[in-house]
Coordinates of all heavy atoms in Angstrom, one line a residue:
M1 N -14.6 3.4 1.8 CA -15.2 2.1 2.2 C -16.4 1.9 1.3 O -17.2 2.7 1.0 CB -15.7 2.1 3.6 CG -16.0 0.8 4.2 SD -14.7 -0.3 4.3 CE -13.8 0.4 5.7
M2 N -16.5 0.6 0.8 CA -17.6 0.3 -0.2 C -18.8 -0.2 0.6 O -18.6 -1.2 1.3 CB -17.1 -0.8 -1.2 CG -18.1 -1.1 -2.3 SD -17.3 -2.0 -3.7 CE -17.4 -3.7 -3.0
H3 N -19.9 0.4 0.5 CA -21.1 0.0 1.2 C -22.1 -0.6 0.2 O -22.9 -1.4 0.5 CB -21.7 1.1 2.0 CG -20.9 1.6 3.1 ND1 -20.6 0.8 4.2 CD2 -20.2 2.7 3.2 CE1 -19.8 1.5 5.0 NE2 -19.5 2.6 4.4
T4 N -22.0 0.0 -1.0 CA -22.9 -0.5 -2.1 C -22.1 -0.8 -3.3 O -21.2 0.0 -3.7 CB -23.9 0.7 -2.5 OG1 -24.6 1.0 -1.3 CG2 -24.9 0.2 -3.5
C5 N -22.4 -1.9 -4.0 CA -21.6 -2.3 -5.1 C -21.9 -1.3 -6.3 O -23.0 -1.1 -6.7 CB -22.0 -3.7 -5.6 SG -21.1 -4.2 -7.0
P6 N -20.8 -0.7 -6.9 CA -21.0 0.2 -8.0 C -21.4 -0.5 -9.3 O -21.8 0.1 -10.2 CB -19.6 0.9 -8.1 CG -18.6 -0.1 -7.5 CD -19.4 -0.8 -6.4
E7 N -21.2 -1.8 -9.3 CA -21.6 -2.6 -10.5 C -23.0 -3.0 -10.5 O -23.7 -2.8 -11.5 CB -20.7 -3.8 -10.6 CG -19.3 -3.6 -11.0 CD -19.2 -3.0 -12.4 OE1 -19.8 -3.6 -13.3 OE2 -18.5 -2.0 -12.6
C8 N -23.5 -3.5 -9.4 CA -24.9 -4.1 -9.4 C -25.8 -3.4 -8.3 O -27.0 -3.7 -8.3 CB -24.8 -5.6 -9.2 SG -24.4 -6.1 -7.5
G9 N -25.2 -2.6 -7.5 CA -26.1 -1.9 -6.5 C -26.4 -2.7 -5.3 O -27.1 -2.2 -4.4
S10 N -25.8 -3.9 -5.1 CA -26.0 -4.7 -4.0 C -25.4 -4.1 -2.7 O -24.4 -3.4 -2.8 CB -25.5 -6.1 -4.2 OG -25.5 -6.9 -3.0
T11 N -26.0 -4.4 -1.6 CA -25.3 -3.9 -0.3 C -24.7 -5.1 0.4 O -24.3 -5.0 1.6 CB -26.3 -3.2 0.6 OG1 -27.5 -4.0 0.8 CG2 -26.8 -1.9 0.0
E12 N -24.7 -6.3 -0.2 CA -24.1 -7.5 0.4 C -22.6 -7.4 0.2 O -22.1 -8.2 -0.6 CB -24.7 -8.7 -0.2 CG -26.2 -8.8 -0.1 CD -26.6 -9.5 1.2 OE1 -25.9 -9.3 2.3 OE2 -27.5 -10.4 1.2
I13 N -21.9 -6.6 0.9 CA -20.5 -6.4 0.7 C -19.7 -7.1 1.8 O -20.0 -7.0 3.0 CB -20.1 -4.9 0.7 CG1 -21.0 -4.1 -0.3 CG2 -18.6 -4.6 0.5 CD1 -20.8 -4.5 -1.7
V14 N -18.6 -7.8 1.4 CA -17.7 -8.4 2.4 C -16.5 -7.6 2.5 O -15.7 -7.6 1.6 CB -17.4 -9.9 1.9 CG1 -16.6 -10.6 3.0 CG2 -18.7 -10.7 1.6
P15 N -16.3 -6.8 3.6 CA -15.1 -5.9 3.7 C -14.0 -6.5 4.5 O -14.1 -7.7 4.9 CB -15.7 -4.8 4.4 CG -16.7 -5.4 5.4 CD -17.2 -6.7 4.7
E16 N -12.9 -5.8 4.6 CA -11.8 -6.1 5.6 C -11.0 -7.3 5.2 O -10.4 -8.0 6.1 CB -12.4 -6.3 7.0 CG -13.2 -5.2 7.5 CD -12.4 -4.0 8.0 OE1 -11.4 -4.2 8.7 OE2 -12.8 -2.9 7.7
L17 N -10.9 -7.6 3.9 CA -10.2 -8.8 3.5 C -8.8 -8.5 3.2 O -8.5 -7.5 2.5 CB -10.9 -9.4 2.3 CG -12.4 -9.7 2.4 CD1 -13.0 -10.0 1.0 CD2 -12.6 -10.9 3.3
L18 N -7.9 -9.3 3.8 CA -6.4 -9.1 3.5 C -6.2 -9.7 2.1 O -6.8 -10.6 1.6 CB -5.6 -9.9 4.5 CG -5.5 -9.3 5.8 CD1 -4.8 -10.2 6.8 CD2 -4.7 -7.9 5.8
V19 N -5.2 -9.1 1.4 CA -4.8 -9.5 0.0 C -3.5 -10.2 0.1 O -2.5 -9.6 0.5 CB -4.8 -8.3 -0.9 CG1 -4.4 -8.7 -2.3 CG2 -6.1 -7.5 -0.9
F20 N -3.4 -11.4 -0.3 CA -2.1 -12.2 -0.2 C -1.5 -12.4 -1.5 O -2.2 -12.4 -2.6 CB -2.4 -13.5 0.5 CG -2.8 -13.4 1.9 CD1 -4.1 -13.6 2.3 CD2 -1.8 -13.0 2.9 CE1 -4.5 -13.4 3.6 CE2 -2.2 -12.9 4.2 CZ -3.6 -13.1 4.6
A21 N -0.2 -12.6 -1.5 CA 0.5 -12.9 -2.8 C 0.9 -14.4 -2.8 O 1.1 -15.0 -1.7 CB 1.8 -12.1 -2.8
D22 N 1.0 -15.0 -4.0 CA 1.3 -16.4 -4.1 C 2.6 -16.8 -3.5 O 2.6 -17.9 -2.8 CB 1.4 -16.8 -5.6 CG 0.1 -17.3 -6.2 OD1 -0.8 -17.6 -5.4 OD2 -0.1 -17.3 -7.4
E23 N 3.6 -16.0 -3.6 CA 4.9 -16.4 -3.1 C 5.0 -16.3 -1.6 O 6.0 -16.7 -1.0 CB 6.0 -15.7 -3.8 CG 6.0 -14.2 -3.6 CD 5.2 -13.5 -4.7 OE1 4.3 -14.1 -5.2 OE2 5.6 -12.4 -5.1
A24 N 4.0 -15.7 -0.9 CA 4.1 -15.5 0.5 C 3.7 -16.8 1.2 O 2.6 -16.9 1.9 CB 3.2 -14.4 0.9
L25 N 4.5 -17.9 1.1 CA 4.1 -19.1 1.7 C 4.3 -19.1 3.2 O 3.6 -19.8 4.0 CB 4.9 -20.3 1.1 CG 4.7 -20.5 -0.4 CD1 5.6 -21.5 -0.9 CD2 3.2 -20.9 -0.6
I26 N 5.3 -18.4 3.7 CA 5.6 -18.3 5.1 C 5.4 -16.9 5.6 O 5.9 -16.0 5.0 CB 7.1 -18.7 5.4 CG1 7.3 -20.2 4.9 CG2 7.4 -18.6 6.9 CD1 8.8 -20.6 4.8
G27 N 4.6 -16.8 6.7 CA 4.4 -15.5 7.3 C 3.3 -14.7 6.7 O 2.8 -13.7 7.2
Q28 N 2.7 -15.2 5.6 CA 1.6 -14.5 4.9 C 1.8 -13.0 4.8 O 1.0 -12.2 5.2 CB 0.3 -14.8 5.8 CG 0.0 -16.3 5.8 CD -1.4 -16.5 6.4 OE1 -1.9 -15.8 7.3 NE2 -2.0 -17.6 6.0
H29 N 2.9 -12.7 4.2 CA 3.1 -11.2 3.9 C 2.3 -10.8 2.7 O 2.6 -11.2 1.6 CB 4.6 -11.0 3.6 CG 5.5 -11.3 4.8 ND1 5.4 -10.7 6.0 CD2 6.4 -12.3 5.0 CE1 6.3 -11.2 6.9 NE2 6.9 -12.2 6.3
P30 N 1.3 -10.0 2.9 CA 0.5 -9.5 1.8 C 1.3 -8.5 1.0 O 2.2 -7.9 1.4 CB -0.7 -8.8 2.5 CG -0.1 -8.4 3.8 CD 0.9 -9.4 4.2
P31 N 0.9 -8.3 -0.3 CA 1.5 -7.2 -1.1 C 1.2 -5.9 -0.4 O 0.2 -5.7 0.3 CB 0.8 -7.4 -2.4 CG -0.4 -8.2 -2.2 CD -0.2 -9.0 -1.0
Y32 N 2.0 -4.9 -0.7 CA 1.8 -3.6 -0.1 C 2.5 -2.6 -1.0 O 3.2 -2.9 -1.9 CB 2.4 -3.6 1.3 CG 3.9 -3.9 1.4 CD1 4.8 -2.8 1.4 CD2 4.4 -5.2 1.4 CE1 6.2 -3.1 1.4 CE2 5.7 -5.5 1.4 CZ 6.7 -4.4 1.4 OH 8.0 -4.7 1.5
V33 N 2.2 -1.3 -0.6 CA 2.9 -0.2 -1.3 C 3.8 0.5 -0.3 O 3.5 0.4 0.9 CB 2.0 0.8 -2.0 CG1 1.2 0.2 -3.1 CG2 1.0 1.4 -0.9
K34 N 4.9 1.1 -0.7 CA 5.8 1.8 0.2 C 6.3 3.1 -0.5 O 6.6 3.0 -1.7 CB 7.0 0.9 0.4 CG 8.0 1.4 1.4 CD 9.1 0.4 1.7 CE 10.1 0.9 2.6 NZ 11.2 -0.1 2.8
L35 N 6.2 4.2 0.3 CA 6.7 5.4 -0.2 C 7.9 5.8 0.6 O 7.9 5.8 1.8 CB 5.6 6.5 -0.1 CG 4.5 6.5 -1.2 CD1 3.5 5.4 -1.0 CD2 3.8 7.8 -1.4
V36 N 8.9 6.2 -0.1 CA 10.2 6.5 0.5 C 10.6 8.0 0.4 O 10.4 8.6 -0.7 CB 11.3 5.6 -0.1 CG1 12.7 5.9 0.5 CG2 10.9 4.1 0.0
E37 N 11.1 8.5 1.5 CA 11.6 9.9 1.5 C 12.7 10.1 0.5 O 13.6 9.3 0.3 CB 12.1 10.2 2.9 CG 12.6 11.5 3.2 CD 13.3 11.7 4.5 OE1 13.7 10.6 5.1 OE2 13.3 12.8 5.1
P38 N 12.6 11.3 -0.3 CA 13.7 11.6 -1.2 C 14.9 12.0 -0.4 O 14.8 12.5 0.7 CB 13.1 12.8 -2.0 CG 12.1 13.4 -1.1 CD 11.5 12.3 -0.3
K39 N 16.1 11.7 -1.0 CA 17.3 12.1 -0.3 C 17.5 13.6 -0.4 O 17.5 14.2 -1.4 CB 18.5 11.4 -1.0 CG 19.8 11.6 -0.3 CD 20.9 10.7 -0.8 CE 22.1 10.9 0.1 NZ 23.2 9.9 -0.2
P40 N 17.7 14.2 0.8 CA 17.9 15.7 0.8 C 19.2 16.1 0.2 O 20.1 15.3 0.1 CB 17.8 16.1 2.3 CG 18.1 14.8 3.0 CD 17.7 13.7 2.1
E41 N 19.3 17.3 -0.3 CA 20.6 17.8 -0.9 C 21.8 17.7 0.0 O 22.9 17.3 -0.3 CB 20.4 19.2 -1.4 CG 20.0 19.2 -2.9 CD 20.0 20.7 -3.5 OE1 20.9 21.5 -3.1 OE2 19.0 20.9 -4.2
K42 N 21.5 18.1 1.3 CA 22.6 18.1 2.3 C 22.3 16.9 3.3 O 22.1 17.2 4.5 CB 22.7 19.4 3.0 CG 23.2 20.5 2.1 CD 23.2 21.8 2.9 CE 23.7 23.0 1.9 NZ 23.6 24.3 2.6
A43 N 22.3 15.7 2.8 CA 22.1 14.6 3.6 C 23.3 14.3 4.5 O 24.5 14.5 4.0 CB 21.8 13.4 2.8
P44 N 23.1 14.0 5.8 CA 24.3 13.6 6.6 C 25.0 12.4 6.0 O 24.4 11.7 5.2 CB 23.7 13.4 8.0 CG 22.2 13.5 7.8 CD 21.9 13.9 6.5
F45 N 26.2 12.2 6.4 CA 27.0 11.1 5.9 C 26.2 9.8 6.1 O 26.1 8.9 5.2 CB 28.4 11.0 6.6 CG 29.2 9.9 6.0 CD1 29.7 9.9 4.7 CD2 29.5 8.8 6.9 CE1 30.4 8.8 4.2 CE2 30.3 7.8 6.4 CZ 30.8 7.8 5.1
I46 N 25.7 9.6 7.3 CA 24.9 8.4 7.6 C 23.4 8.9 7.5 O 23.0 9.6 8.4 CB 25.2 7.8 8.9 CG1 26.7 7.3 9.0 CG2 24.3 6.7 9.3 CD1 27.2 6.9 10.3
W47 N 22.8 8.4 6.5 CA 21.4 8.9 6.3 C 20.6 7.7 5.8 O 21.0 7.0 4.9 CB 21.3 10.0 5.2 CG 20.0 10.5 4.9 CD1 19.2 11.4 5.6 CD2 19.1 10.0 3.8 NE1 18.0 11.5 5.0 CE2 17.9 10.8 3.9 CE3 19.3 9.1 2.7 CZ2 16.9 10.6 2.9 CZ3 18.3 9.0 1.8 CH2 17.1 9.7 1.9
S48 N 19.5 7.5 6.4 CA 18.6 6.5 5.8 C 17.2 7.0 5.7 O 16.7 7.7 6.6 CB 18.6 5.2 6.6 OG 17.8 5.3 7.8
P49 N 16.6 6.8 4.6 CA 15.3 7.5 4.3 C 14.2 6.9 5.2 O 14.1 5.8 5.5 CB 15.0 7.1 2.8 CG 15.8 5.9 2.6 CD 17.0 5.9 3.5
K50 N 13.3 7.8 5.5 CA 12.0 7.4 6.2 C 11.1 6.9 5.1 O 11.2 7.2 4.0 CB 11.4 8.6 6.9 CG 12.1 9.1 8.1 CD 11.4 10.2 8.8 CE 12.3 11.4 8.9 NZ 11.7 12.7 9.0
S51 N 10.2 6.1 5.6 CA 9.2 5.5 4.6 C 7.9 5.2 5.3 O 7.8 5.1 6.5 CB 9.8 4.3 4.0 OG 9.9 3.2 4.9
V52 N 6.9 5.1 4.5 CA 5.6 4.6 5.0 C 5.1 3.5 4.1 O 5.4 3.6 2.9 CB 4.5 5.7 5.1 CG1 4.9 6.8 6.1 CG2 4.3 6.4 3.7
A53 N 4.5 2.6 4.6 CA 4.0 1.4 3.8 C 2.6 1.0 4.3 O 2.2 1.2 5.4 CB 5.0 0.3 4.0
T54 N 1.9 0.5 3.3 CA 0.6 0.0 3.7 C 0.2 -1.2 2.8 O 0.6 -1.3 1.7 CB -0.5 1.0 3.6 OG1 -1.8 0.4 4.0 CG2 -0.7 1.5 2.1
G55 N -0.4 -2.2 3.4 CA -1.0 -3.3 2.7 C -2.4 -2.9 2.2 O -2.8 -1.8 2.4
F56 N -3.1 -3.8 1.7 CA -4.4 -3.6 1.1 C -5.5 -4.5 1.8 O -5.2 -5.6 2.2 CB -4.5 -3.8 -0.4 CG -3.5 -3.0 -1.1 CD1 -2.4 -3.5 -1.6 CD2 -3.7 -1.6 -1.3 CE1 -1.5 -2.8 -2.3 CE2 -2.8 -0.8 -2.0 CZ -1.7 -1.4 -2.5
R57 N -6.7 -4.0 1.8 CA -7.8 -4.8 2.1 C -8.7 -4.9 0.8 O -8.6 -4.1 -0.1 CB -8.7 -4.2 3.2 CG -7.9 -4.0 4.5 CD -7.6 -5.3 5.2 NE -6.7 -5.1 6.3 CZ -7.0 -5.5 7.5 NH1 -8.2 -6.1 7.8 NH2 -6.2 -5.3 8.5
A58 N -9.5 -5.9 0.8 CA -10.4 -6.0 -0.4 C -11.8 -6.1 0.2 O -12.1 -6.6 1.2 CB -10.1 -7.3 -1.2
A59 N -12.7 -5.5 -0.6 CA -14.2 -5.6 -0.3 C -14.8 -6.3 -1.6 O -14.5 -5.9 -2.7 CB -14.8 -4.3 -0.1
I60 N -15.5 -7.4 -1.3 CA -16.1 -8.1 -2.4 C -17.6 -8.1 -2.4 O -18.2 -8.4 -1.3 CB -15.6 -9.6 -2.4 CG1 -14.1 -9.6 -2.6 CG2 -16.3 -10.4 -3.4 CD1 -13.5 -11.0 -2.5
C61 N -18.2 -7.8 -3.5 CA -19.7 -7.8 -3.5 C -20.1 -9.2 -3.5 O -19.7 -10.0 -4.4 CB -20.2 -7.1 -4.8 SG -21.9 -7.3 -5.0
G62 N -21.0 -9.6 -2.5 CA -21.5 -10.9 -2.4 C -22.5 -11.3 -3.5 O -22.9 -12.4 -3.6
A63 N -23.0 -10.3 -4.2 CA -24.0 -10.6 -5.3 C -23.4 -10.8 -6.6 O -23.9 -11.6 -7.4 CB -25.0 -9.4 -5.3
C64 N -22.3 -10.1 -7.0 CA -21.8 -10.2 -8.3 C -20.3 -10.4 -8.4 O -19.7 -10.7 -9.4 CB -22.1 -9.0 -9.2 SG -21.1 -7.5 -8.8
G65 N -19.5 -10.3 -7.3 CA -18.1 -10.6 -7.3 C -17.2 -9.3 -7.5 O -16.0 -9.4 -7.5
Y66 N -17.9 -8.2 -7.8 CA -17.0 -7.0 -7.9 C -16.1 -6.8 -6.7 O -16.6 -7.0 -5.6 CB -18.0 -5.8 -8.1 CG -17.2 -4.5 -8.2 CD1 -16.7 -4.0 -9.4 CD2 -17.0 -3.7 -7.0 CE1 -16.0 -2.8 -9.5 CE2 -16.3 -2.5 -7.1 CZ -15.8 -2.1 -8.3 OH -15.1 -0.9 -8.4
T67 N -14.9 -6.5 -7.0 CA -13.9 -6.4 -5.9 C -13.2 -5.1 -5.9 O -12.8 -4.6 -7.0 CB -12.8 -7.5 -6.0 OG1 -13.5 -8.8 -6.0 CG2 -11.8 -7.4 -4.9
R68 N -13.1 -4.4 -4.8 CA -12.4 -3.2 -4.7 C -11.3 -3.3 -3.6 O -11.5 -3.8 -2.6 CB -13.4 -2.1 -4.3 CG -12.7 -0.7 -4.0 CD -13.7 0.3 -3.6 NE -14.4 0.8 -4.8 CZ -15.4 1.7 -4.7 NH1 -15.8 2.2 -3.6 NH2 -16.0 2.1 -5.8
F69 N -10.1 -2.8 -4.0 CA -9.0 -2.8 -3.0 C -9.0 -1.4 -2.4 O -9.3 -0.4 -3.0 CB -7.7 -3.0 -3.7 CG -7.5 -4.4 -4.3 CD1 -7.4 -4.6 -5.6 CD2 -7.4 -5.5 -3.4 CE1 -7.3 -5.9 -6.1 CE2 -7.3 -6.7 -3.9 CZ -7.2 -6.9 -5.3
Y70 N -8.6 -1.4 -1.1 CA -8.5 -0.1 -0.4 C -7.5 -0.3 0.7 O -7.1 -1.4 1.1 CB -9.9 0.4 0.1 CG -10.5 -0.5 1.2 CD1 -10.3 -0.2 2.5 CD2 -11.2 -1.7 0.8 CE1 -10.9 -1.1 3.5 CE2 -11.7 -2.5 1.8 CZ -11.6 -2.2 3.1 OH -12.1 -3.0 4.1
T71 N -7.1 0.9 1.3 CA -6.2 0.9 2.4 C -6.9 1.7 3.5 O -7.6 2.7 3.2 CB -4.8 1.4 2.1 OG1 -4.1 1.4 3.3 CG2 -4.9 2.8 1.5
K72 N -6.5 1.3 4.8 CA -7.0 2.1 5.9 C -6.0 3.3 6.2 O -6.3 4.1 7.0 CB -7.2 1.3 7.1 CG -8.3 0.2 7.0 CD -8.4 -0.6 8.2 CE -9.8 -1.3 8.2 NZ -10.0 -2.0 9.5
H73 N -4.9 3.2 5.6 CA -3.8 4.2 5.9 C -3.6 5.3 4.9 O -2.5 5.7 4.6 CB -2.5 3.4 6.1 CG -2.6 2.3 7.2 ND1 -2.7 2.6 8.5 CD2 -2.7 1.0 7.0 CE1 -2.9 1.5 9.2 NE2 -2.9 0.5 8.3
Y74 N -4.7 5.7 4.3 CA -4.7 6.6 3.2 C -4.1 8.0 3.7 O -3.5 8.7 2.9 CB -6.1 6.8 2.5 CG -7.2 7.0 3.5 CD1 -7.5 8.3 4.0 CD2 -7.9 5.9 4.0 CE1 -8.5 8.4 4.9 CE2 -8.9 6.1 5.0 CZ -9.2 7.3 5.4 OH -10.2 7.5 6.3
A75 N -4.4 8.4 4.9 CA -4.0 9.7 5.4 C -2.5 9.7 5.5 O -1.8 10.7 5.1 CB -4.6 10.0 6.8
E76 N -1.8 8.6 6.0 CA -0.4 8.6 6.1 C 0.2 8.6 4.7 O 1.3 9.2 4.4 CB 0.1 7.3 6.8 CG -0.3 7.2 8.2 CD -0.3 5.8 8.7 OE1 0.7 5.2 8.7 OE2 -1.4 5.3 9.0
I77 N -0.4 7.9 3.7 CA 0.1 7.8 2.4 C 0.0 9.2 1.7 O 1.0 9.6 1.0 CB -0.7 6.7 1.6 CG1 -0.5 5.3 2.1 CG2 -0.3 6.8 0.1 CD1 0.9 4.8 2.1
L78 N -1.1 9.9 1.9 CA -1.3 11.2 1.3 C -0.2 12.2 1.9 O 0.4 12.9 1.2 CB -2.7 11.7 1.6 CG -2.9 13.1 1.0 CD1 -2.8 13.1 -0.5 CD2 -4.3 13.6 1.4
E79 N 0.0 12.1 3.2 CA 0.9 13.0 3.9 C 2.3 12.7 3.3 O 3.1 13.7 3.0 CB 0.9 12.7 5.4 CG 1.8 13.7 6.2 CD 1.8 13.3 7.7 OE1 0.9 12.6 8.1 OE2 2.8 13.8 8.3
A80 N 2.7 11.5 3.2 CA 4.0 11.1 2.6 C 4.1 11.6 1.2 O 5.2 12.2 0.8 CB 4.3 9.6 2.7
H81 N 3.1 11.4 0.4 CA 3.1 11.9 -1.0 C 3.3 13.4 -1.1 O 4.0 13.9 -1.9 CB 1.7 11.5 -1.6 CG 1.5 12.0 -3.0 ND1 2.2 11.6 -4.1 CD2 0.7 13.0 -3.4 CE1 1.8 12.3 -5.2 NE2 0.8 13.2 -4.8
K82 N 2.6 14.1 -0.2 CA 2.7 15.6 -0.2 C 4.1 16.0 0.2 O 4.6 17.1 -0.1 CB 1.7 16.2 0.7 CG 0.3 16.2 0.1 CD -0.7 16.9 0.9 CE -2.0 17.0 0.2 NZ -3.1 17.6 1.0
K83 N 4.8 15.2 1.0 CA 6.2 15.5 1.4 C 7.2 15.1 0.3 O 8.4 15.2 0.5 CB 6.6 14.7 2.7 CG 5.9 15.3 4.0 CD 6.3 14.5 5.2 CE 5.6 14.9 6.4 NZ 5.9 13.9 7.5
G84 N 6.7 14.5 -0.8 CA 7.6 14.1 -1.9 C 8.1 12.7 -1.8 O 9.0 12.3 -2.6
Y85 N 7.6 11.9 -0.9 CA 8.0 10.5 -0.8 C 7.5 9.9 -2.1 O 6.5 10.2 -2.7 CB 7.3 9.8 0.3 CG 7.8 10.1 1.7 CD1 8.4 11.4 2.0 CD2 7.7 9.2 2.7 CE1 8.8 11.7 3.3 CE2 8.2 9.5 4.0 CZ 8.7 10.8 4.3 OH 9.2 11.1 5.5
T86 N 8.3 8.9 -2.6 CA 7.9 8.2 -3.9 C 8.0 6.7 -3.7 O 8.7 6.2 -2.8 CB 8.8 8.6 -5.0 OG1 10.2 8.3 -4.7 CG2 8.7 10.1 -5.4
S87 N 7.3 6.0 -4.5 CA 7.3 4.6 -4.6 C 8.5 4.1 -5.3 O 8.7 4.5 -6.5 CB 6.0 4.1 -5.3 OG 5.7 2.8 -4.9
Q88 N 9.3 3.3 -4.7 CA 10.6 2.9 -5.3 C 10.9 1.4 -5.2 O 10.4 0.8 -4.3 CB 11.8 3.6 -4.7 CG 11.7 5.1 -4.7 CD 12.8 5.7 -3.8 OE1 13.6 5.0 -3.3 NE2 12.7 7.0 -3.7
A89 N 11.7 0.8 -6.1 CA 12.1 -0.5 -6.0 C 13.1 -0.6 -4.8 O 13.8 0.4 -4.6 CB 12.7 -1.0 -7.2
F90 N 13.2 -1.7 -4.1 CA 14.1 -1.7 -3.0 C 15.6 -1.7 -3.4 O 16.4 -1.0 -2.8 CB 13.9 -3.0 -2.2 CG 12.6 -3.0 -1.5 CD1 11.5 -3.6 -2.0 CD2 12.4 -2.3 -0.3 CE1 10.3 -3.6 -1.4 CE2 11.2 -2.2 0.3 CZ 10.1 -2.9 -0.2
D91 N 15.9 -2.5 -4.4 CA 17.3 -2.5 -4.8 C 17.4 -2.7 -6.3 O 17.1 -3.7 -6.8 CB 18.0 -3.7 -4.1 CG 19.5 -3.8 -4.4 OD1 20.0 -3.0 -5.2 OD2 20.2 -4.6 -3.7
L92 N 17.8 -1.6 -6.9 CA 17.7 -1.6 -8.4 C 18.8 -2.6 -9.0 O 18.7 -2.9 -10.2 CB 18.0 -0.2 -8.9 CG 16.9 0.8 -8.5 CD1 17.3 2.2 -8.9 CD2 15.6 0.4 -9.2
K93 N 19.7 -3.0 -8.2 CA 20.7 -3.9 -8.7 C 20.2 -5.3 -8.8 O 20.6 -6.1 -9.7 CB 22.0 -4.0 -7.8 CG 22.9 -2.7 -8.0 CD 24.0 -2.7 -7.0 CE 23.5 -1.9 -5.8 NZ 24.4 -1.7 -4.7
T94 N 19.2 -5.7 -8.0 CA 18.8 -7.1 -8.0 C 17.3 -7.2 -8.3 O 16.8 -8.3 -8.6 CB 19.0 -7.7 -6.6 OG1 18.3 -6.9 -5.6 CG2 20.4 -7.8 -6.2
V95 N 16.6 -6.1 -8.3 CA 15.1 -6.2 -8.6 C 14.8 -5.7 -10.0 O 15.3 -4.6 -10.4 CB 14.3 -5.4 -7.6 CG1 12.8 -5.4 -8.0 CG2 14.5 -5.9 -6.2
T96 N 14.2 -6.5 -10.8 CA 13.8 -6.1 -12.1 C 12.4 -5.4 -12.0 O 11.5 -6.0 -11.5 CB 13.7 -7.3 -13.1 OG1 14.9 -8.0 -13.1 CG2 13.4 -6.8 -14.5
V97 N 12.3 -4.2 -12.6 CA 11.0 -3.5 -12.5 C 10.4 -3.2 -13.8 O 11.1 -3.3 -14.8 CB 11.2 -2.2 -11.7 CG1 11.4 -2.4 -10.2 CG2 12.3 -1.3 -12.3
Ligands
LIG1 ZN1 -22.2 -6.4 -7.1

C-alpha cells in the first residue's frame, strides 16, 4: 500500500481506485490478471484447470500524479505462482498475443 509518494514524498495519496479498460462499456469489467493451473501429466479425461484472477487498484499521489497499481489479492497470486500456475491467453486460436 502506498502511503507516501516515492516521487515527491507527499502523503496526499488517493487509494482504492478501480482500473477500467476503454472497451468495457457494459458492466465495467476492469483489466485483470489470471493465473491458470498447468495440465497434470495424468489429467482425467474431463479436466478443467483451476485459476485465480485479480483486478487492480490504483493509488494516485494528489500532489504530483504519480500512480501505482496494486492488488489486494497478492497472497492468492503468490500461492498460485508457487503451484506453477501461469498467465495464459484464453484461446490461442482467436486471441492475438
Ligand atoms: Zn507525488
Side-chain angles (χ1 to χ4, degrees):
M1 193 67 70
M2 185 166 83
H3 298 290
T4 304
C5 178
E7 286 295 310
C8 74
S10 169
T11 54
E12 299 271 41
I13 305 300
V14 185
E16 307 280 319
L17 304 169
L18 286 171
V19 180
F20 295 103
D22 266 343
E23 61 268 32
L25 296 176
I26 300 168
Q28 298 189 331
H29 298 295
Y32 60 96
V33 296
K34 182 176 180 180
L35 281 79
V36 180
E37 181 186 24
K39 187 167 187 172
E41 267 185 40
K42 291 179 182 175
F45 181 68
I46 297 171
W47 177 84
S48 78
K50 288 182 235 156
S51 65
V52 294
T54 182
F56 303 105
R57 301 292 172 121
I60 296 176
C61 173
C64 78
Y66 176 85
T67 301
R68 173 179 286 175
F69 293 114
Y70 65 95
T71 175
K72 293 182 166 185
H73 304 287
Y74 49 87
E76 296 158 63
I77 295 296
L78 179 61
E79 186 185 339
H81 172 71
K82 285 184 171 174
K83 286 180 184 170
Y85 289 29
T86 55
S87 204
Q88 304 172 4
F90 290 99
D91 184 351
L92 294 172
K93 283 171 270 180
T94 57
V95 175
T96 305
V97 290

